[in-house]
Amino acid sequence: MAKNGKRVRQIDVANALGVHQTLVSAVLSGNFNNSTVRVSRDKVDEILNAAKKMGYKPNRAAYELRGGKSSVIGILMPAPSLSFISERQMRLIVLEQIANQRGYRMMIGHIQNPDIAENYVDDFISRSVEGVLCLQHELQGDKNSIVKSLSRIENVVYLGLPAGVEDAHCVTMDHCDGIIQAVHYLASKGRKRIALALAGKKFRPMIERMEGYKLGLANERMAFDPELIWVGPEKVVPQPEYMRSIYKKLVSEKKADAVIASNDDWAIMLMKHLHSRSIRVPEDVAVIGYDNLRVSAMTTPSLTTIDGREEAVGSKMINMLLDLIDKGSVDQKVVTVKPKLIPRESA
């Protein structure tokens, strides 16, 4: 639900203008032409402008109770086979299952830009949602707009700690520890030139992986060489030209004998590129991915990877939110999930 004092009601607009709520209701519902209340065009404009300035949004829940159109459709679909779903899909399945078990239904919004996020938050508030799970609170070039929009909702749990929100409820993934595990594993296998390939360096997961890489090397008493780091574009699908660039800088020029890739997609494409150059994995270059996608166990060689434990993340997020809603508080505001290295054939 919206935070106390945050949701602007029709009565608030009426009080601000010194008019009766019936008049405001007729104008904001668009029924003033059919209403028994006589209202001038100037008064209509005054009410509409005041409502917009005050941030008034229609209460969809109340409208639907009066028999109005809900503008919501339902979708029923078969449960996906566990053999063909990603870890992120598993997180969503866990969220839905636990919410259902505790008597809740979910509304889902896919955000590509701040305006879409703002529209979804408006819709959530108008439908009196009890709380929101925010799985992405940073957009490229914009780190604050989504968090600002969600400040109007009382119960919010974030995936990762949002910048500038000191008392946020969140579940974090320890990306730093995941890379520390990977470096330790590679060092234990005798690798001396361990490289890191990142998809960008601005977002928190990539920043934490860089920190983990440096700490992991220090733990193994290995020198940090910035030339063994490749940084690509922010959050893009891996492309062949990126694999050529990774190979050229890290393997050909800097003689890396192991590469920790940004995720499993990047790792699998890198293995394919190395194979095309007759470079053996793991004999010549070991490769480690991140995410533990289902396909990572099906590659040749099978991919050593870091499991972010998405199912555990989803479970902790939804239970934290529902405890906030049902009990008003939780024992821990910040819960951290440790990843797990999955050794396979590629390293």
Side-chain angles (χ1 to χ4, degrees):
M1 299 180 69
K3 289 183 178 178
N4 292 336
K6 292 292 184 179
R7 177 184 291 168
V8 178
R9 303 163 299 168
Q10 291 182 359
I11 187 65
D12 299 321
V13 178
N15 290 339
L17 296 176
V19 299
H20 199 279
Q21 183 181 353
T22 303
L23 178 61
V24 172
S25 177
V27 171
L28 295 181
S29 65
N31 293 326
F32 56 90
N33 287 327
N34 301 322
S35 173
T36 57
V37 179
R38 297 178 62 85
V39 53
S40 68
R41 183 69 251 180
D42 289 343
K43 182 58 70 174
V44 169
D45 291 340
E46 181 184 8
I47 292 172
L48 292 176
N49 289 334
K52 182 178 180 180
K53 185 176 181 180
M54 294 173 67
Y56 169 80
K57 301 293 181 183
N59 188 327
R60 294 290 308 182
Y63 175 72
E64 290 162 19
L65 284 174
R66 295 194 299 268
K69 184 179 179 181
S70 72
S71 299
V72 175
I73 62 172
I75 299 176
L76 291 176
M77 56 189 293
S81 167
L82 294 180
S83 300
F84 297 100
I85 63 173
S86 70
E87 291 300 310
R88 287 180 174 81
Q89 287 174 309
M90 176 58 74
R91 182 204 295 162
L92 189 59
I93 291 171
V94 169
L95 294 177
E96 195 277 333
Q97 287 178 340
I98 295 177
N100 186 36
Q101 290 167 5
R102 294 182 60 170
Y104 289 86
R105 290 290 185 265
M106 298 197 309
M107 291 178 61
I108 298 175
H110 295 278
I111 53 176
Q112 294 86 34
N113 60 61
D115 290 338
I116 291 177
E118 180 77 11
N119 289 338
Y120 273 120
V121 172
D122 288 342
D123 197 26
F124 291 160
I125 291 174
S126 73
R127 296 179 188 278
S128 300
V129 298
E130 301 288 348
V132 172
L133 295 170
C134 182
L135 304 184
Q136 180 176 348
H137 50 78
E138 291 185 8
L139 296 173
Q140 190 162 342
D142 190 328
K143 292 189 175 183
N144 299 313
S145 61
I146 296 177
V147 174
K148 183 178 179 181
S149 295
L150 287 172
S151 67
R152 296 182 287 142
I153 293 179
E154 183 174 5
N155 299 309
V156 179
V157 173
Y158 294 92
L159 174 60
L161 184 64
V165 185
E166 296 180 358
D167 60 344
H169 293 86
C170 66
V171 175
T172 66
M173 303 168 70
D174 196 340
H175 297 281
C176 181
D177 184 72
I179 302 301
I180 290 174
Q181 291 182 48
V183 171
H184 174 72
Y185 177 80
L186 290 168
S188 72
K189 296 291 185 178
R191 304 293 170 165
K192 304 296 184 183
R193 302 281 293 169
I194 301 172
L196 179 68
L198 297 174
K201 59 181 180 180
K202 295 181 180 179
F203 288 92
R204 185 178 295 273
M206 297 299 114
I207 294 172
E208 291 181 1
R209 292 183 197 190
M210 179 72 80
E211 293 172 354
Y213 176 67
K214 293 178 180 179
L215 288 172
L217 291 175
N219 291 344
E220 304 302 325
R221 298 184 179 180
M222 301 173 72
F224 169 69
D225 182 356
E227 293 300 314
L228 282 172
I229 297 173
W230 182 92
V231 179
E234 307 286 340
K235 289 190 173 182
V236 297
V237 176
Q239 300 294 333
E241 58 265 32
Y242 302 149
M243 301 305 112
R244 290 192 291 269
S245 177
I246 292 172
Y247 163 78
K248 182 176 184 295
K249 177 179 180 179
L250 300 182
V251 179
S252 178
E253 296 177 1
K254 298 303 174 182
K255 308 303 179 185
D257 59 8
V259 178
I260 304 171
S262 180
N263 57 42
D264 287 354
D265 288 338
W266 286 72
I268 291 169
M269 186 170 281
L270 177 60
M271 288 198 302
K272 180 179 179 181
H273 184 79
L274 293 174
H275 177 74
S276 72
R277 292 180 176 273
S278 299
I279 295 174
R280 300 170 301 168
V281 176
E283 292 85 354
D284 301 323
V285 177
V287 177
I288 292 183
Y290 206 115
D291 286 337
N292 193 26
L293 300 180
R294 306 282 167 174
V295 71
S296 64
M298 306 174 193
T299 59
T300 303
S302 57
L303 180 64
T304 297
T305 185
I306 301 161
D307 187 345
R309 300 178 60 213
E310 297 280 356
E311 188 172 351
V313 170
S315 175
K316 290 183 181 298
M317 286 190 72
I318 187 64
N319 280 306
M320 179 183 287
L321 180 64
L322 297 182
D323 285 346
L324 276 174
I325 294 168
D326 295 340
K327 302 175 184 178
S329 64
V330 293
D331 294 334
Q332 289 181 270
K333 283 190 172 183
V334 179
V335 175
T336 300
V337 175
K338 294 282 188 181
K340 181 181 179 181
L341 183 77
I342 308 296
R344 295 196 183 104
E345 297 169 346
S346 69

